[in-house]
């Protein structure tokens, strides 16, 4: 749209009193101008309510700056749960937004460890952490798997289209990918290397179908009632490439120790609004492309803070204020 066209569109919106749409379009126009003004310069912004590094040359990072992120609800939940001095582990860091969201909550005495297999992702995020002065944010290049060593990981030739990079990409994605060898680390390895003990209070994992394998190699204490809060992506199609299912992931979080919830993130029916629901082993998980699973630990150590999550899970018996 030309500049004159944008101006006329803005006048029409104001004439009919649609101020909200006008503000969204004006904000998007300002952000586009900022990206175009410095197409190769990383910059800081706080449009999600916490400091974030935007990389204009990284399509996903630039897109999130323009449009926001579909996990904004999850970011608020994470910030509500975490407390100063605690540790957060982000597996499948991508553009680093979960890691950046956790930083203000854990404060300067806390620790955020963010892991991704793609070397270009790590390079970009390390630059972002330096820009933000986040000395307690550590980006680690590794594929999180069920064994230690090295493993083949498939990346896009430019290294930046990170949503299409995986240990086992779909056939169409693999055709345009390049195999590289990357370090392979288990969750037990990461726990030991970064001294993630009782201060680890939340884990997010989104590793393109490898979630079940990674969970099976985690320290057993992480799955007790006094273990961390979990946010786990469940992508049924990606899981099949690893020979696993959502049932295997749900089995890691039994009802005796966790209260679990599912949020469809991309319903098959575009007319259906995603709605949070209790996670049940018999759920077929066939109404959405992928889901976020929230496993809230039931341990007594969490009782002082679980009530803070009541607004996120209004039908929860566990989180209902006393």
């Amino acid at each position: 749209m030309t500049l004159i066209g944008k101006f006329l569109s803005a006048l029409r919106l104001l004439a009919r009193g649609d101020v909200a749409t006008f503000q969204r379009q004006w904000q998007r126009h300002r952000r586009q101008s900022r990206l175009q003004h410095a197409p190769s310069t990383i910059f800081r912004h706080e449009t999600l309510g916490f400091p974030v590094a935007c990389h204009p040359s990284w399509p996903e990072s630039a897109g999130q700056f323009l449009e926001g992120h579909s996990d904004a609800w999850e970011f608020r939940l994470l910030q509500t749960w975490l407390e100063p001095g605690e540790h957060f582990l982000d597996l499948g860091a991508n553009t680093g937004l979960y890691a950046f969201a956790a930083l203000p909550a854990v404060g300067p005495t806390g620790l955020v460890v963010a892991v991704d297999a793609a070397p270009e992702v790590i390079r970009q995020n390390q630059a972002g952490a330096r820009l933000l002065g986040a000395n307690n944010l550590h980006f680690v290049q590794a594929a999180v798997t069920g064994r230690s060593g090295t493993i083949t990981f498939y990346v896009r030739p430019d290294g930046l289209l990170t949503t299409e990079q995986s240990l086992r990409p779909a056939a169409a994605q693999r055709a345009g990918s390049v195999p590289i060898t990357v370090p392979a680390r288990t969750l037990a390895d990461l726990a030991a290397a970064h001294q993630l003990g009782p201060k680890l209070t939340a884990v997010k994992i989104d590793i393109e179908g490898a979630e079940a394998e990674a969970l099976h190699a985690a320290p057993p204490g992480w799955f007790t009632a006094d273990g961390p809060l979990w946010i786990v992506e469940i992508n049924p199609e990606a899981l099949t490439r690893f020979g696993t299912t959502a049932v295997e992931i749900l089995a890691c979080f039994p009802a005796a120790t966790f209260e679990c919830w599912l949020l469809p993130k991309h319903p098959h029916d575009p007319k259906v609004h995603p709605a949070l629901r209790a996670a049940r082993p018999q759920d077929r998980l066939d109404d959405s492309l992928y889901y976020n699973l929230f496993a809230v630990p039931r341990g007594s150590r969490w009782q002082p803070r679980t009530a803070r999550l009541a607004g996120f899970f209004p039908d929860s018996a566990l989180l209902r204020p006393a």
Side-chain angles (χ1 to χ4, degrees):
M1 184 182 292
T2 65
L3 183 61
I4 293 176
K6 291 179 180 179
F7 177 73
L8 293 175
S9 175
L11 288 179
R12 286 193 292 269
L13 289 170
L14 291 175
R16 65 172 183 253
D18 192 350
V19 177
T21 300
F22 169 79
Q23 289 176 331
R24 285 195 301 271
Q25 291 187 355
W26 174 245
Q27 184 182 60
R28 194 178 193 282
H29 172 69
R30 290 180 61 194
R31 291 179 177 179
Q32 283 179 321
S33 297
R34 185 170 187 180
L35 291 174
Q36 293 166 356
H37 178 71
S40 60
T41 304
I42 304 172
F43 62 86
R44 171 190 174 123
H45 68 103
E46 299 187 12
T47 55
L48 293 169
F50 50 88
V52 173
C54 177
H55 309 256
S57 61
W58 186 355
E60 282 115 330
S61 181
Q64 289 165 0
F65 175 64
L66 283 175
E67 308 293 348
H69 194 280
S70 64
D71 284 10
W73 184 88
E74 286 87 340
F75 300 149
R76 293 195 300 273
L77 182 149
L78 186 63
Q79 292 171 324
T80 301
W81 176 264
L82 291 169
E83 293 185 350
E86 294 183 340
H87 296 175
F88 170 62
L89 182 58
D90 179 4
L91 306 169
N94 200 286
T95 56
L97 288 187
Y98 272 88
F100 293 135
L103 272 176
V106 303
T109 61
L111 174 67
V112 176
V113 178
V115 185
D116 203 285
E120 183 63 17
V121 168
I122 295 299
R123 188 186 71 80
Q124 295 272 14
N125 277 318
Q126 287 174 336
R130 288 193 297 271
L131 175 70
L132 299 181
N135 296 325
N136 57 332
L137 170 53
H138 300 166
F139 283 100
V140 179
Q141 191 211 343
V144 185
T145 67
R147 62 173 180 81
S148 304
T150 59
I151 197 168
T152 300
F153 185 74
Y154 292 86
V155 300
R156 304 298 293 182
D158 61 5
L160 291 177
L161 196 56
T162 54
T163 55
E164 296 188 4
Q165 300 183 148
S166 173
L167 290 169
R168 300 182 188 178
Q173 294 175 354
R174 181 175 298 203
S177 299
V178 177
I180 63 172
T181 300
V182 301
R185 299 289 181 266
T186 68
L187 289 179
D189 293 336
L190 293 168
H194 299 279
Q195 300 180 350
L196 301 175
K199 289 186 177 181
L200 179 70
T201 54
V203 180
K204 166 257 182 181
I205 178 168
D206 175 3
I207 50 177
E208 303 302 319
E211 289 82 6
E213 181 179 344
L215 290 171
H216 291 326
W222 291 9
F223 300 107
T224 67
D226 287 326
L229 169 81
W230 291 82
I231 302 174
V232 183
E233 184 185 80
I234 296 180
N235 182 328
E237 191 276 331
L239 289 172
T240 61
R241 299 199 296 271
F242 287 80
T244 60
T245 66
V247 172
E248 193 170 340
I249 293 177
L250 291 169
C252 295
F253 307 100
T257 49
F258 292 91
E259 182 174 275
C260 294
W261 298 83
L262 280 170
L263 180 62
K265 298 297 293 185
H266 201 300
H268 295 306
D269 184 348
K271 298 187 295 296
V272 174
H273 184 73
L276 187 74
R277 64 178 185 256
R280 306 186 187 284
Q282 67 271 25
D283 196 320
R284 296 176 59 185
L285 275 76
D286 58 1
D287 60 331
S288 185
L289 290 178
Y290 58 94
Y291 308 77
N292 274 346
L293 168 70
F294 308 95
V296 183
R298 296 180 178 272
S300 58
R301 71 176 287 206
W302 303 122
Q303 288 178 357
R305 78 174 74 180
T306 50
R308 300 202 301 251
L309 298 187
F312 293 90
F313 306 99
D315 297 326
S316 168
L318 171 66
L319 308 179
R320 191 172 299 135

Tab-separated table of all heavy atoms in Angstrom, residues 48-50 69-82 98 101 105 231 308-309 312:
chain	number	residue	atom	x	y	z
A	48	LEU	N	6.658	-6.582	24.537
A	48	LEU	CA	5.996	-7.714	25.179
A	48	LEU	C	5.985	-7.575	26.696
A	48	LEU	O	5.593	-8.500	27.408
A	48	LEU	CB	6.690	-9.020	24.778
A	48	LEU	CG	6.551	-9.405	23.299
A	48	LEU	CD1	7.490	-10.549	22.952
A	48	LEU	CD2	5.117	-9.779	22.980
A	49	GLY	N	6.433	-6.435	27.185
A	49	GLY	CA	6.439	-6.218	28.615
A	49	GLY	C	7.739	-6.601	29.281
A	49	GLY	O	7.863	-6.507	30.508
A	50	PHE	N	8.724	-7.041	28.518
A	50	PHE	CA	10.042	-7.355	29.055
A	50	PHE	C	11.063	-7.080	27.962
A	50	PHE	O	10.732	-7.069	26.779
A	50	PHE	CB	10.127	-8.816	29.522
A	50	PHE	CG	9.653	-9.828	28.507
A	50	PHE	CD1	10.521	-10.349	27.558
A	50	PHE	CD2	8.334	-10.264	28.508
A	50	PHE	CE1	10.085	-11.275	26.615
A	50	PHE	CE2	7.891	-11.195	27.579
A	50	PHE	CZ	8.776	-11.708	26.629
A	69	HIS	N	3.669	-12.332	19.578
A	69	HIS	CA	3.946	-13.762	19.670
A	69	HIS	C	2.730	-14.465	20.235
A	69	HIS	O	2.088	-13.977	21.162
A	69	HIS	CB	5.173	-14.008	20.556
A	69	HIS	CG	5.744	-15.378	20.451
A	69	HIS	ND1	5.205	-16.449	21.113
A	69	HIS	CD2	6.803	-15.854	19.758
A	69	HIS	CE1	5.917	-17.537	20.841
A	69	HIS	NE2	6.889	-17.201	20.017
A	70	SER	N	2.423	-15.644	19.704
A	70	SER	CA	1.225	-16.368	20.131
A	70	SER	C	1.341	-16.935	21.533
A	70	SER	O	0.353	-17.426	22.081
A	70	SER	CB	0.920	-17.496	19.140
A	70	SER	OG	1.963	-18.463	19.141
A	71	ASP	N	2.543	-16.900	22.136
A	71	ASP	CA	2.719	-17.449	23.478
A	71	ASP	C	2.751	-16.367	24.552
A	71	ASP	O	3.298	-16.587	25.636
A	71	ASP	CB	4.015	-18.274	23.547
A	71	ASP	CG	3.883	-19.632	22.874
A	71	ASP	OD1	2.863	-19.859	22.202
A	71	ASP	OD2	4.798	-20.451	23.007
A	72	ALA	N	2.161	-15.214	24.297
A	72	ALA	CA	2.177	-14.137	25.289
A	72	ALA	C	1.543	-14.576	26.603
A	72	ALA	O	1.998	-14.196	27.688
A	72	ALA	CB	1.464	-12.900	24.734
A	73	TRP	N	0.491	-15.387	26.534
A	73	TRP	CA	-0.163	-15.917	27.752
A	73	TRP	C	0.823	-16.757	28.551
A	73	TRP	O	0.913	-16.655	29.781
A	73	TRP	CB	-1.380	-16.742	27.331
A	73	TRP	CG	-2.227	-17.272	28.448
A	73	TRP	CD1	-3.264	-16.655	29.064
A	73	TRP	CD2	-2.121	-18.574	29.055
A	73	TRP	NE1	-3.814	-17.480	30.023
A	73	TRP	CE2	-3.132	-18.661	30.029
A	73	TRP	CE3	-1.281	-19.664	28.859
A	73	TRP	CZ2	-3.322	-19.797	30.812
A	73	TRP	CZ3	-1.456	-20.805	29.647
A	73	TRP	CH2	-2.472	-20.864	30.608
A	74	GLU	N	1.598	-17.582	27.849
A	74	GLU	CA	2.591	-18.420	28.513
A	74	GLU	C	3.685	-17.584	29.175
A	74	GLU	O	4.165	-17.924	30.257
A	74	GLU	CB	3.220	-19.389	27.504
A	74	GLU	CG	2.315	-20.535	27.095
A	74	GLU	CD	1.405	-20.195	25.912
A	74	GLU	OE1	1.190	-18.999	25.645
A	74	GLU	OE2	0.900	-21.130	25.267
A	75	PHE	N	4.078	-16.496	28.524
A	75	PHE	CA	5.099	-15.637	29.123
A	75	PHE	C	4.607	-15.068	30.454
A	75	PHE	O	5.339	-15.022	31.445
A	75	PHE	CB	5.467	-14.482	28.185
A	75	PHE	CG	6.014	-14.922	26.854
A	75	PHE	CD1	5.807	-14.148	25.721
A	75	PHE	CD2	6.740	-16.094	26.720
A	75	PHE	CE1	6.316	-14.531	24.491
A	75	PHE	CE2	7.248	-16.489	25.497
A	75	PHE	CZ	7.032	-15.712	24.375
A	76	ARG	N	3.343	-14.634	30.484
A	76	ARG	CA	2.797	-14.080	31.732
A	76	ARG	C	2.725	-15.153	32.815
A	76	ARG	O	3.020	-14.885	33.988
A	76	ARG	CB	1.410	-13.484	31.480
A	76	ARG	CG	1.432	-12.249	30.583
A	76	ARG	CD	0.120	-11.489	30.670
A	76	ARG	NE	-1.016	-12.296	30.268
A	76	ARG	CZ	-1.451	-12.417	29.013
A	76	ARG	NH1	-0.823	-11.773	28.046
A	76	ARG	NH2	-2.494	-13.171	28.730
A	77	LEU	N	2.326	-16.359	32.433
A	77	LEU	CA	2.268	-17.455	33.403
A	77	LEU	C	3.647	-17.723	33.992
A	77	LEU	O	3.810	-17.875	35.210
A	77	LEU	CB	1.712	-18.714	32.722
A	77	LEU	CG	1.530	-19.961	33.594
A	77	LEU	CD1	0.358	-20.793	33.082
A	77	LEU	CD2	2.777	-20.849	33.623
A	78	LEU	N	4.646	-17.794	33.132
A	78	LEU	CA	6.006	-18.069	33.577
A	78	LEU	C	6.491	-16.984	34.538
A	78	LEU	O	7.080	-17.274	35.589
A	78	LEU	CB	6.926	-18.149	32.358
A	78	LEU	CG	8.384	-18.563	32.596
A	78	LEU	CD1	8.455	-19.980	33.139
A	78	LEU	CD2	9.168	-18.460	31.291
A	79	GLN	N	6.239	-15.730	34.202
A	79	GLN	CA	6.674	-14.631	35.060
A	79	GLN	C	5.935	-14.636	36.396
A	79	GLN	O	6.491	-14.227	37.420
A	79	GLN	CB	6.464	-13.304	34.336
A	79	GLN	CG	7.385	-13.125	33.144
A	79	GLN	CD	7.032	-11.903	32.309
A	79	GLN	OE1	5.864	-11.567	32.142
A	79	GLN	NE2	8.042	-11.242	31.778
A	80	THR	N	4.691	-15.104	36.398
A	80	THR	CA	3.924	-15.189	37.630
A	80	THR	C	4.461	-16.289	38.539
A	80	THR	O	4.458	-16.164	39.770
A	80	THR	CB	2.436	-15.450	37.312
A	80	THR	OG1	1.943	-14.401	36.491
A	80	THR	CG2	1.596	-15.539	38.572
A	81	TRP	N	4.960	-17.355	37.932
A	81	TRP	CA	5.445	-18.504	38.703
A	81	TRP	C	6.853	-18.279	39.260
A	81	TRP	O	7.124	-18.575	40.430
A	81	TRP	CB	5.437	-19.749	37.816
A	81	TRP	CG	5.996	-20.986	38.465
A	81	TRP	CD1	7.255	-21.458	38.369
A	81	TRP	CD2	5.284	-21.885	39.316
A	81	TRP	NE1	7.398	-22.616	39.091
A	81	TRP	CE2	6.203	-22.904	39.681
A	81	TRP	CE3	3.973	-21.951	39.783
A	81	TRP	CZ2	5.831	-23.970	40.508
A	81	TRP	CZ3	3.612	-23.011	40.615
A	81	TRP	CH2	4.531	-23.998	40.969
A	82	LEU	N	7.760	-17.784	38.458
A	82	LEU	CA	9.156	-17.658	38.853
A	82	LEU	C	9.354	-16.576	39.913
A	82	LEU	O	8.618	-15.589	39.954
A	82	LEU	CB	10.019	-17.333	37.634
A	82	LEU	CG	10.187	-18.438	36.596
A	82	LEU	CD1	10.834	-17.885	35.333
A	82	LEU	CD2	11.008	-19.598	37.155
A	98	TYR	N	11.197	-16.956	25.446
A	98	TYR	CA	10.937	-17.524	26.768
A	98	TYR	C	12.072	-17.174	27.731
A	98	TYR	O	11.841	-16.835	28.898
A	98	TYR	CB	10.779	-19.042	26.683
A	98	TYR	CG	9.374	-19.496	26.393
A	98	TYR	CD1	8.915	-19.625	25.087
A	98	TYR	CD2	8.491	-19.807	27.425
A	98	TYR	CE1	7.624	-20.049	24.818
A	98	TYR	CE2	7.197	-20.228	27.164
A	98	TYR	CZ	6.766	-20.345	25.861
A	98	TYR	OH	5.479	-20.761	25.601
A	101	ALA	N	11.778	-13.575	28.647
A	101	ALA	CA	10.633	-13.361	29.538
A	101	ALA	C	10.957	-13.748	30.973
A	101	ALA	O	10.467	-13.124	31.921
A	101	ALA	CB	9.430	-14.159	29.037
A	105	ALA	N	11.946	-11.994	35.979
A	105	ALA	CA	11.338	-12.705	37.101
A	105	ALA	C	12.392	-13.309	38.025
A	105	ALA	O	12.249	-13.256	39.250
A	105	ALA	CB	10.407	-13.801	36.579
A	231	ILE	N	6.370	-26.563	30.847
A	231	ILE	CA	5.632	-26.146	29.657
A	231	ILE	C	6.210	-26.957	28.505
A	231	ILE	O	7.390	-26.807	28.165
A	231	ILE	CB	5.778	-24.638	29.381
A	231	ILE	CG1	5.298	-23.813	30.583
A	231	ILE	CG2	5.004	-24.241	28.118
A	231	ILE	CD1	5.550	-22.315	30.437
A	308	ARG	N	-1.287	-18.064	42.926
A	308	ARG	CA	-1.023	-17.004	41.949
A	308	ARG	C	-1.402	-17.426	40.538
A	308	ARG	O	-1.596	-16.577	39.662
A	308	ARG	CB	0.459	-16.609	41.987
A	308	ARG	CG	0.931	-16.095	43.338
A	308	ARG	CD	2.183	-15.232	43.192
A	308	ARG	NE	3.289	-15.922	42.583
A	308	ARG	CZ	4.401	-16.297	43.236
A	308	ARG	NH1	4.507	-16.065	44.536
A	308	ARG	NH2	5.393	-16.885	42.597
A	309	LEU	N	-1.470	-18.737	40.292
A	309	LEU	CA	-1.821	-19.225	38.963
A	309	LEU	C	-3.322	-19.434	38.787
A	309	LEU	O	-3.759	-19.863	37.717
A	309	LEU	CB	-1.096	-20.539	38.663
A	309	LEU	CG	0.438	-20.510	38.633
A	309	LEU	CD1	0.970	-21.851	38.143
A	309	LEU	CD2	0.958	-19.382	37.755
A	312	PHE	N	-4.942	-18.175	35.699
A	312	PHE	CA	-4.572	-18.828	34.450
A	312	PHE	C	-5.357	-20.127	34.245
A	312	PHE	O	-5.632	-20.519	33.115
A	312	PHE	CB	-3.075	-19.135	34.440
A	312	PHE	CG	-2.202	-17.912	34.397
A	312	PHE	CD1	-1.777	-17.295	35.566
A	312	PHE	CD2	-1.820	-17.359	33.182
A	312	PHE	CE1	-0.970	-16.164	35.530
A	312	PHE	CE2	-1.017	-16.227	33.126
A	312	PHE	CZ	-0.601	-15.629	34.308
